[in-house]
Amino acid sequence: MVFDSISETGHEQISYFSDPETGLTAIVAIHDTSLGPSLGGTRIRDYESEEAALTDVLRLSEAMTYKAAATDLPLGGGKAVIIGDPEEVKTEAALEAYGRAVDCLAGRYITSVDINSGAEEMDIVARETDHVVGGTDGLGNPSEVTAHGVFSGIRACAEHTHGTSTVSDLDVVVQGLGKVGRLLAEELLEHGASVTISDVNQEAVDEFSAAYDVDVVAPDAVYEEPCDVFAPCAIGGVVNDETIDQLQCDIVAGSANNVLKERRHADALAERDILYAPDYVINAGGLVTVGKEYLGGTYEEAYEESEKIGDRLSEMIERAEADDSTVLDAAEAYAQERIDESDTVTPALPSN
């Protein structure tokens, strides 16, 4: 199954790590290092099966390749998953074992934060390897930069579909009030947008709606809620055969990874004249932040850099129109051109 997966996706390396003493079970997928060492977060999740974990890490690492290339970063794409209930597997011993696993990859993979792994976990991983960013001594939580990048992308999409460079006349449905979704909703409200929120966590919904003037829609009705922009900021795969026909929006643009269940759903959205902002383009602010930390830079520079996400997305929209293709096609072409034109090898790690 693993070799078939490599053949289908073009991954350079898939590494399995097991440490029975600590209970660590992890997979690290390195998709492409043409532009530089692969960088991507470590997701800790209780997957249904090993196959499900492999599928997830392969999709995520491939997306990181395109995300880095489409953001003009000298980095490649990688991702890691630690398999198990986070409440049980996030022990110091297991995270130290994971750090040793990352270290044995000799800098081909740089790890960082992701779902169920934050700065504190990265600090523990860093006890055993230098190939880690996103710890407490780093640039800080990238959520604000990610949210601002998504906001900039929504403005770019609105300029194309509604002829306005502001969001003040937009109705936006934000699905998911996690770290990024909440910040995105706040920035949209600050700039005059009408916001509707939805989350499976009722406590988060109650807290946000008590603080801000927003509408609320139930999770099972969120896709059919009329709006200008549907912003998925929670789980992936929410645009699929079941939900596409329910959507009543002009734009799909949010922070969630792998928004499309399958690639063909980009074409399905286009057939309904719904503009889709590729997730790995619009949500690249997090990568920009940890990239700045790894390559050298400041949080303020990362925030300013996230403004360019809207400009880059506008170029891809224009290219898609010129080529009579989807924006996803245009984004992939842009990223692939950067990868193909690169004559570099993986650079040495910056000295600490």
Side-chain angles (χ1 to χ4, degrees):
M1 182 175 65
V2 175
F3 288 108
D4 288 342
S5 298
I6 291 176
S7 176
E8 292 173 3
T9 62
H11 278 73
E12 294 178 4
Q13 183 176 347
I14 301 172
S15 302
Y16 278 67
F17 296 97
S18 176
D19 188 78
E21 184 175 340
T22 64
L24 173 71
T25 303
I27 308 174
V28 177
I30 297 174
H31 180 254
D32 190 281
T33 58
S34 299
L35 294 171
S38 64
L39 194 156
T42 297
R43 179 164 297 187
I44 305 176
R45 181 178 171 188
D46 194 5
Y47 290 94
E48 296 178 1
S49 64
E50 177 188 317
E51 183 177 2
L54 177 61
T55 298
D56 199 28
V57 77
L58 291 177
R59 288 194 68 190
L60 291 167
S61 55
E62 183 176 14
M64 290 302 295
T65 292
Y66 286 100
K67 182 181 291 191
T71 314
D72 295 331
L73 289 170
L75 296 167
K79 205 77 173 184
V81 295
I82 294 177
I83 303 171
D85 183 345
E87 296 294 326
E88 299 177 2
V89 301
K90 279 204 305 184
T91 65
E92 288 195 27
L95 290 169
E96 287 174 347
Y98 174 66
R100 293 190 291 273
V102 170
D103 199 60
C104 79
L105 295 171
R108 282 175 50 78
Y109 170 63
I110 315 300
T111 196
S112 189
V113 299
D114 201 273
I115 294 175
N116 292 318
S117 68
E120 294 77 12
E121 284 75 25
M122 292 306 106
D123 284 349
I124 298 172
V125 173
R127 296 173 187 171
E128 302 291 339
T129 183
D130 292 330
H131 310 310
V132 55
V133 289
T136 56
D137 62 347
L139 295 188
N141 189 328
S143 298
E144 185 177 3
V145 179
T146 303
H148 187 60
V150 175
F151 175 81
S152 299
I154 288 175
R155 281 194 311 190
C157 291
E159 186 167 6
H160 176 74
T161 60
H162 292 70
T164 176
S165 59
T166 69
V167 301
S168 58
D169 294 327
L170 297 183
D171 293 317
V172 184
V173 172
V174 177
Q175 180 193 41
L177 291 174
K179 295 177 182 178
V180 177
R182 180 183 178 90
L183 289 169
L184 173 62
E186 289 175 341
E187 188 165 4
L188 287 165
L189 288 165
E190 180 183 344
H191 287 81
S194 297
V195 174
T196 299
I197 59 172
S198 183
D199 199 300
V200 295
N201 183 342
Q202 189 60 44
E203 183 178 347
V205 170
D206 292 342
E207 179 184 347
F208 195 90
S209 59
Y212 298 98
D213 181 18
V214 295
D215 292 325
V216 178
V217 61
D220 58 358
V222 68
Y223 303 106
E224 57 190 10
E225 180 72 13
C227 60
D228 298 308
V229 183
F230 172 57
C233 298
I235 61 174
V238 297
V239 174
N240 52 54
D241 291 335
E242 294 181 5
T243 62
I244 284 179
D245 289 339
Q246 300 178 46
L247 292 174
Q248 299 187 56
C249 61
D250 301 315
I251 299 166
V252 173
S255 66
N257 287 314
N258 295 330
V259 168
L260 306 179
K261 180 69 173 179
E262 298 179 28
R263 194 192 183 287
R264 62 184 175 85
H265 292 128
D267 297 308
L269 288 174
E271 289 172 2
R272 294 197 55 205
D273 292 324
I274 297 175
L275 176 61
Y276 168 61
D279 45 36
Y280 62 77
V281 176
I282 197 170
N283 70 9
L287 178 62
V288 170
T289 306
V290 294
K292 282 288 184 184
E293 180 179 333
Y294 171 71
L295 298 166
T298 67
Y299 193 89
E300 290 72 21
E301 289 172 346
Y303 191 86
E304 292 175 4
E305 189 75 21
S306 69
E307 282 280 350
K308 298 179 182 178
I309 287 175
D311 297 334
R312 196 172 292 111
L313 185 55
S314 292
E315 294 176 11
M316 293 172 182
I317 293 171
E318 293 173 2
R319 178 171 180 166
E321 284 194 329
D323 295 343
D324 192 24
S325 66
T326 67
V327 184
L328 181 59
D329 290 327
E332 288 178 347
Y334 179 93
Q336 194 61 53
E337 286 167 5
R338 284 203 66 232
I339 294 169
D340 292 342
E341 291 171 359
S342 174
D343 293 324
T344 65
V345 296
T346 301
L349 293 171
S351 58
N352 292 325

Coordinates of all heavy atoms in Angstrom, one line a residue, residues 139-207:
L139 N 8.4 32.6 16.9 CA 7.8 33.9 16.6 C 6.4 34.0 17.2 O 5.8 35.0 17.1 CB 7.7 34.0 15.1 CG 9.0 34.1 14.3 CD1 8.7 34.5 12.8 CD2 9.9 35.2 14.9
G140 N 5.8 32.9 17.7 CA 4.5 33.0 18.3 C 3.5 32.2 17.6 O 3.7 31.7 16.5
N141 N 2.2 32.3 18.1 CA 1.1 31.6 17.5 C 0.8 32.1 16.1 O 0.6 33.4 15.9 CB -0.1 31.7 18.4 CG -1.3 30.9 17.9 OD1 -1.4 30.6 16.8 ND2 -2.1 30.4 18.9
P142 N 0.8 31.3 15.0 CA 0.6 31.8 13.7 C -0.8 32.1 13.3 O -1.1 32.5 12.2 CB 1.2 30.7 12.8 CG 1.0 29.5 13.6 CD 1.2 29.9 15.0
S143 N -1.7 31.8 14.2 CA -3.2 31.9 13.9 C -3.6 33.3 13.4 O -4.4 33.4 12.5 CB -4.0 31.5 15.1 OG -3.7 30.2 15.5
E144 N -3.1 34.3 14.0 CA -3.4 35.7 13.6 C -3.0 36.0 12.2 O -3.7 36.6 11.4 CB -2.8 36.7 14.6 CG -3.3 38.1 14.3 CD -2.8 39.1 15.3 OE1 -2.0 38.8 16.2 OE2 -3.1 40.3 15.2
V145 N -1.8 35.5 11.8 CA -1.3 35.7 10.5 C -2.1 34.9 9.5 O -2.4 35.4 8.4 CB 0.2 35.3 10.4 CG1 0.7 35.5 9.0 CG2 1.1 36.1 11.4
T146 N -2.4 33.7 9.9 CA -3.2 32.8 9.0 C -4.6 33.5 8.7 O -5.1 33.5 7.6 CB -3.4 31.4 9.6 OG1 -2.2 30.8 9.9 CG2 -4.3 30.5 8.7
A147 N -5.2 33.9 9.8 CA -6.5 34.6 9.7 C -6.5 35.8 8.8 O -7.4 36.0 7.9 CB -7.1 34.9 11.0
H148 N -5.4 36.6 8.9 CA -5.3 37.8 8.1 C -5.1 37.5 6.7 O -5.6 38.2 5.8 CB -4.1 38.7 8.7 CG -4.0 40.0 8.0 ND1 -5.1 40.9 8.1 CD2 -3.1 40.6 7.3 CE1 -4.7 42.0 7.4 NE2 -3.5 41.8 6.9
G149 N -4.3 36.4 6.4 CA -4.1 36.0 5.0 C -5.4 35.5 4.4 O -5.7 35.8 3.2
V150 N -6.3 34.8 5.2 CA -7.6 34.4 4.7 C -8.4 35.6 4.4 O -9.1 35.7 3.4 CB -8.3 33.4 5.6 CG1 -9.7 33.1 5.2 CG2 -7.5 32.2 5.8
F151 N -8.4 36.6 5.3 CA -9.1 37.8 5.1 C -8.7 38.5 3.8 O -9.6 39.0 3.0 CB -8.9 38.7 6.3 CG -9.5 40.1 6.2 CD1 -10.9 40.3 6.5 CD2 -8.8 41.2 5.8 CE1 -11.5 41.6 6.3 CE2 -9.3 42.4 5.7 CZ -10.7 42.6 5.9
S152 N -7.4 38.6 3.6 CA -6.9 39.2 2.4 C -7.4 38.5 1.1 O -7.7 39.1 0.1 CB -5.4 39.3 2.4 OG -4.9 40.0 3.5
G153 N -7.4 37.1 1.2 CA -7.9 36.3 0.1 C -9.4 36.5 -0.1 O -9.8 36.5 -1.3
I154 N -10.2 36.6 0.9 CA -11.6 36.9 0.7 C -11.8 38.2 0.0 O -12.7 38.4 -0.9 CB -12.3 36.9 2.1 CG1 -12.4 35.4 2.6 CG2 -13.7 37.5 2.0 CD1 -13.0 35.3 4.0
R155 N -11.0 39.2 0.4 CA -11.1 40.5 -0.3 C -10.8 40.4 -1.7 O -11.5 41.0 -2.6 CB -10.2 41.6 0.4 CG -10.7 42.1 1.7 CD -9.9 43.4 2.1 NE -8.5 43.1 2.0 CZ -7.6 44.0 2.5 NH1 -8.0 45.1 3.1 NH2 -6.3 43.7 2.4
A156 N -9.8 39.6 -2.1 CA -9.4 39.4 -3.5 C -10.6 38.8 -4.3 O -10.9 39.1 -5.4 CB -8.1 38.6 -3.6
C157 N -11.2 37.8 -3.6 CA -12.3 37.0 -4.3 C -13.5 38.0 -4.5 O -14.1 38.0 -5.5 CB -12.7 35.8 -3.5 SG -11.4 34.5 -3.4
A158 N -13.7 38.8 -3.4 CA -14.9 39.7 -3.5 C -14.7 40.8 -4.6 O -15.7 41.2 -5.3 CB -15.1 40.4 -2.2
E159 N -13.5 41.2 -4.8 CA -13.2 42.2 -5.8 C -13.5 41.6 -7.2 O -14.0 42.2 -8.1 CB -11.7 42.6 -5.8 CG -11.4 43.7 -6.7 CD -10.1 44.4 -6.5 OE1 -9.3 43.9 -5.6 OE2 -9.7 45.4 -7.1
H160 N -13.3 40.3 -7.3 CA -13.5 39.6 -8.6 C -15.0 39.4 -8.8 O -15.6 39.6 -9.9 CB -12.8 38.3 -8.7 CG -13.1 37.5 -9.9 ND1 -12.5 37.8 -11.1 CD2 -13.8 36.4 -10.1 CE1 -13.0 37.0 -12.0 NE2 -13.8 36.1 -11.4
T161 N -15.7 38.9 -7.8 CA -17.1 38.5 -8.0 C -18.1 39.6 -7.7 O -19.2 39.7 -8.3 CB -17.5 37.4 -7.0 OG1 -17.2 37.8 -5.6 CG2 -16.6 36.1 -7.3
H162 N -17.7 40.6 -6.8 CA -18.6 41.7 -6.5 C -18.1 43.1 -6.9 O -18.8 44.0 -6.7 CB -18.9 41.6 -5.0 CG -19.7 40.5 -4.5 ND1 -19.2 39.2 -4.5 CD2 -21.0 40.4 -4.0 CE1 -20.1 38.3 -4.0 NE2 -21.2 39.0 -3.7
G163 N -16.9 43.1 -7.4 CA -16.4 44.4 -7.8 C -16.1 45.4 -6.7 O -16.1 46.6 -6.9
T164 N -15.8 44.8 -5.5 CA -15.5 45.7 -4.4 C -14.2 45.2 -3.7 O -14.0 44.0 -3.6 CB -16.6 45.7 -3.4 OG1 -16.2 46.5 -2.2 CG2 -17.0 44.3 -2.9
S165 N -13.4 46.1 -3.2 CA -12.2 45.7 -2.5 C -12.3 45.7 -1.0 O -11.4 45.5 -0.3 CB -11.0 46.7 -2.9 OG -11.4 48.0 -2.5
T166 N -13.6 45.9 -0.6 CA -13.9 45.9 0.8 C -14.8 44.7 1.1 O -15.4 44.1 0.2 CB -14.5 47.2 1.3 OG1 -15.9 47.3 0.7 CG2 -13.7 48.4 0.9
V167 N -15.0 44.4 2.4 CA -15.9 43.3 2.8 C -17.1 43.9 3.5 O -18.0 43.1 3.9 CB -15.2 42.3 3.8 CG1 -13.9 41.8 3.1 CG2 -14.8 43.0 5.1
S168 N -17.3 45.2 3.5 CA -18.4 45.8 4.3 C -19.8 45.4 3.8 O -20.7 45.5 4.6 CB -18.3 47.3 4.3 OG -18.3 47.8 3.0
D169 N -19.9 45.0 2.5 CA -21.2 44.6 2.0 C -21.4 43.1 1.9 O -22.3 42.6 1.3 CB -21.4 45.2 0.6 CG -21.5 46.8 0.7 OD1 -22.0 47.3 1.7 OD2 -21.0 47.4 -0.3
L170 N -20.5 42.3 2.5 CA -20.5 40.9 2.3 C -21.2 40.2 3.5 O -21.1 40.6 4.7 CB -19.1 40.3 2.2 CG -18.2 40.8 1.0 CD1 -16.9 40.0 1.1 CD2 -18.9 40.5 -0.3
D171 N -21.9 39.2 3.2 CA -22.5 38.2 4.2 C -21.6 37.0 4.2 O -21.4 36.3 3.1 CB -23.9 37.8 3.8 CG -24.9 39.0 4.0 OD1 -24.7 39.7 4.9 OD2 -25.7 39.2 3.1
V172 N -20.9 36.7 5.3 CA -20.0 35.6 5.4 C -20.4 34.6 6.4 O -20.7 35.0 7.6 CB -18.5 36.2 5.7 CG1 -17.5 35.0 5.7 CG2 -18.1 37.3 4.8
V173 N -20.4 33.4 6.0 CA -20.7 32.3 7.0 C -19.3 31.7 7.3 O -18.6 31.1 6.5 CB -21.6 31.2 6.4 CG1 -21.7 30.0 7.3 CG2 -23.0 31.8 6.1
V174 N -19.0 31.7 8.6 CA -17.7 31.1 9.1 C -18.1 29.8 9.8 O -18.7 29.8 10.8 CB -17.0 32.1 10.1 CG1 -15.8 31.4 10.6 CG2 -16.7 33.4 9.4
Q175 N -17.6 28.8 9.2 CA -17.8 27.4 9.8 C -16.6 27.0 10.6 O -15.5 26.8 10.1 CB -18.0 26.4 8.7 CG -18.2 25.0 9.2 CD -18.1 23.9 8.0 OE1 -17.2 24.0 7.2 NE2 -19.0 23.0 8.0
G176 N -16.7 27.0 11.9 CA -15.6 26.7 12.8 C -15.1 27.9 13.5 O -14.6 28.8 12.9
L177 N -15.1 27.8 14.9 CA -14.6 28.9 15.7 C -13.4 28.5 16.5 O -13.2 28.8 17.6 CB -15.7 29.4 16.6 CG -16.9 30.1 16.0 CD1 -18.0 30.4 17.0 CD2 -16.5 31.4 15.3
G178 N -12.5 27.8 15.8 CA -11.2 27.5 16.4 C -10.3 28.7 16.4 O -10.7 29.9 16.3
K179 N -9.0 28.5 16.6 CA -8.1 29.6 16.7 C -8.1 30.5 15.5 O -8.1 31.8 15.7 CB -6.6 29.0 16.8 CG -6.4 28.2 18.1 CD -5.0 27.7 18.1 CE -4.8 26.8 19.4 NZ -3.4 26.2 19.4
V180 N -8.2 30.0 14.3 CA -8.2 30.8 13.1 C -9.6 31.3 12.8 O -9.8 32.5 12.4 CB -7.6 30.1 11.9 CG1 -7.7 30.9 10.6 CG2 -6.1 29.7 12.2
G181 N -10.6 30.5 12.8 CA -11.9 30.8 12.5 C -12.5 32.0 13.3 O -13.1 32.9 12.8
R182 N -12.2 32.0 14.6 CA -12.6 33.0 15.5 C -11.9 34.4 15.1 O -12.6 35.4 15.0 CB -12.3 32.7 17.0 CG -12.7 33.8 17.9 CD -12.3 33.5 19.4 NE -12.7 34.5 20.3 CZ -13.9 34.6 20.9 NH1 -14.8 33.7 20.7 NH2 -14.1 35.7 21.7
L183 N -10.6 34.3 14.9 CA -9.9 35.5 14.5 C -10.4 36.1 13.2 O -10.5 37.3 13.0 CB -8.4 35.3 14.5 CG -7.7 35.0 15.8 CD1 -6.3 34.5 15.7 CD2 -7.7 36.3 16.6
L184 N -10.7 35.2 12.2 CA -11.2 35.6 10.9 C -12.5 36.3 11.1 O -12.8 37.4 10.5 CB -11.3 34.4 10.0 CG -12.0 34.7 8.6 CD1 -11.2 35.7 7.8 CD2 -12.2 33.4 7.9
A185 N -13.4 35.7 11.9 CA -14.7 36.3 12.1 C -14.6 37.7 12.7 O -15.3 38.6 12.4 CB -15.6 35.4 13.0
E186 N -13.7 37.8 13.7 CA -13.5 39.1 14.3 C -13.0 40.2 13.3 O -13.4 41.3 13.4 CB -12.5 39.0 15.5 CG -13.1 38.2 16.7 CD -12.0 38.0 17.8 OE1 -10.8 38.0 17.5 OE2 -12.5 37.7 18.9
E187 N -12.0 39.8 12.5 CA -11.5 40.7 11.5 C -12.6 41.1 10.5 O -12.7 42.3 10.1 CB -10.3 40.2 10.8 CG -9.6 41.2 9.9 CD -8.2 40.8 9.5 OE1 -7.7 39.6 9.9 OE2 -7.5 41.6 8.9
L188 N -13.4 40.2 10.1 CA -14.5 40.5 9.1 C -15.5 41.5 9.8 O -15.9 42.5 9.1 CB -15.2 39.2 8.8 CG -14.5 38.3 7.8 CD1 -15.1 36.9 7.8 CD2 -14.4 38.8 6.4
L189 N -15.8 41.2 11.0 CA -16.7 42.1 11.7 C -16.1 43.5 11.9 O -16.8 44.6 11.7 CB -17.1 41.6 13.1 CG -18.0 40.3 13.1 CD1 -18.0 39.7 14.5 CD2 -19.4 40.8 12.7
E190 N -14.8 43.6 12.2 CA -14.1 44.8 12.4 C -14.2 45.7 11.1 O -14.2 46.9 11.2 CB -12.7 44.6 12.7 CG -11.8 45.8 13.0 CD -10.4 45.5 13.2 OE1 -10.1 44.3 13.6 OE2 -9.6 46.4 13.2
H191 N -14.3 45.0 9.9 CA -14.3 45.7 8.7 C -15.7 45.8 8.1 O -15.8 46.1 6.9 CB -13.3 45.1 7.7 CG -11.9 45.3 8.0 ND1 -11.2 44.6 8.9 CD2 -11.0 46.3 7.5 CE1 -9.9 45.1 9.0 NE2 -9.8 46.1 8.2
G192 N -16.7 45.6 8.9 CA -18.1 45.8 8.5 C -18.8 44.7 7.8 O -20.0 44.9 7.4
A193 N -18.3 43.5 7.7 CA -19.0 42.4 7.1 C -20.1 41.9 8.1 O -20.0 42.1 9.3 CB -18.0 41.3 6.8
S194 N -21.1 41.3 7.5 CA -22.2 40.6 8.3 C -21.7 39.2 8.4 O -21.4 38.5 7.4 CB -23.5 40.7 7.6 OG -24.0 42.1 7.5
V195 N -21.7 38.7 9.6 CA -21.1 37.4 9.8 C -22.1 36.4 10.5 O -22.8 36.8 11.4 CB -19.8 37.5 10.7 CG1 -19.3 36.1 11.1 CG2 -18.7 38.3 10.0
T196 N -22.2 35.2 10.0 CA -22.9 34.1 10.5 C -22.0 33.1 11.0 O -21.1 32.7 10.2 CB -24.0 33.6 9.5 OG1 -24.9 34.6 9.2 CG2 -24.7 32.4 10.2
I197 N -22.1 32.6 12.2 CA -21.2 31.6 12.7 C -21.8 30.2 12.9 O -23.0 30.1 13.0 CB -20.6 32.0 14.0 CG1 -21.7 32.2 15.1 CG2 -19.7 33.3 13.9 CD1 -21.1 32.5 16.5
S198 N -21.0 29.2 12.8 CA -21.5 27.8 13.0 C -20.3 27.0 13.6 O -19.2 27.1 13.1 CB -22.0 27.2 11.7 OG -22.5 25.9 11.9
D199 N -20.7 26.1 14.6 CA -19.6 25.3 15.2 C -20.4 24.1 15.9 O -21.4 24.3 16.5 CB -18.7 26.1 16.1 CG -17.4 25.3 16.4 OD1 -17.5 24.2 16.9 OD2 -16.4 25.9 16.1
V200 N -19.7 23.0 15.9 CA -20.3 21.9 16.7 C -20.1 22.1 18.2 O -20.8 21.4 19.0 CB -19.6 20.5 16.2 CG1 -20.0 20.2 14.8 CG2 -18.1 20.6 16.4
N201 N -19.2 23.0 18.5 CA -19.0 23.3 19.9 C -19.9 24.4 20.3 O -19.7 25.6 20.1 CB -17.5 23.7 20.1 CG -17.2 24.0 21.6 OD1 -18.1 24.2 22.4 ND2 -15.9 24.0 21.9
Q202 N -21.0 24.1 21.0 CA -22.0 25.1 21.3 C -21.5 26.1 22.3 O -21.9 27.3 22.2 CB -23.3 24.4 21.9 CG -24.5 25.3 22.1 CD -25.0 25.9 20.8 OE1 -25.1 25.2 19.8 NE2 -25.2 27.2 20.9
E203 N -20.6 25.7 23.2 CA -20.0 26.7 24.1 C -19.3 27.8 23.4 O -19.4 28.9 23.7 CB -19.1 25.9 25.1 CG -18.5 26.8 26.1 CD -17.6 26.1 27.1 OE1 -17.6 24.8 27.1 OE2 -16.9 26.7 27.9
A204 N -18.5 27.4 22.3 CA -17.8 28.4 21.5 C -18.8 29.3 20.8 O -18.5 30.5 20.7 CB -16.9 27.7 20.5
V205 N -19.9 28.8 20.3 CA -20.9 29.6 19.6 C -21.5 30.6 20.6 O -21.7 31.8 20.3 CB -22.0 28.7 19.0 CG1 -23.1 29.5 18.5 CG2 -21.4 27.9 17.9
D206 N -21.9 30.1 21.8 CA -22.5 30.9 22.8 C -21.6 32.1 23.2 O -22.0 33.2 23.4 CB -22.9 30.1 24.0 CG -24.1 29.1 23.7 OD1 -24.7 29.3 22.6 OD2 -24.2 28.1 24.4
E207 N -20.3 31.7 23.4 CA -19.4 32.7 23.9 C -19.2 33.8 22.8 O -19.2 35.0 23.1 CB -18.0 32.1 24.2 CG -16.9 33.0 24.6 CD -15.6 32.3 24.8 OE1 -15.6 31.1 24.8 OE2 -14.6 33.1 24.9

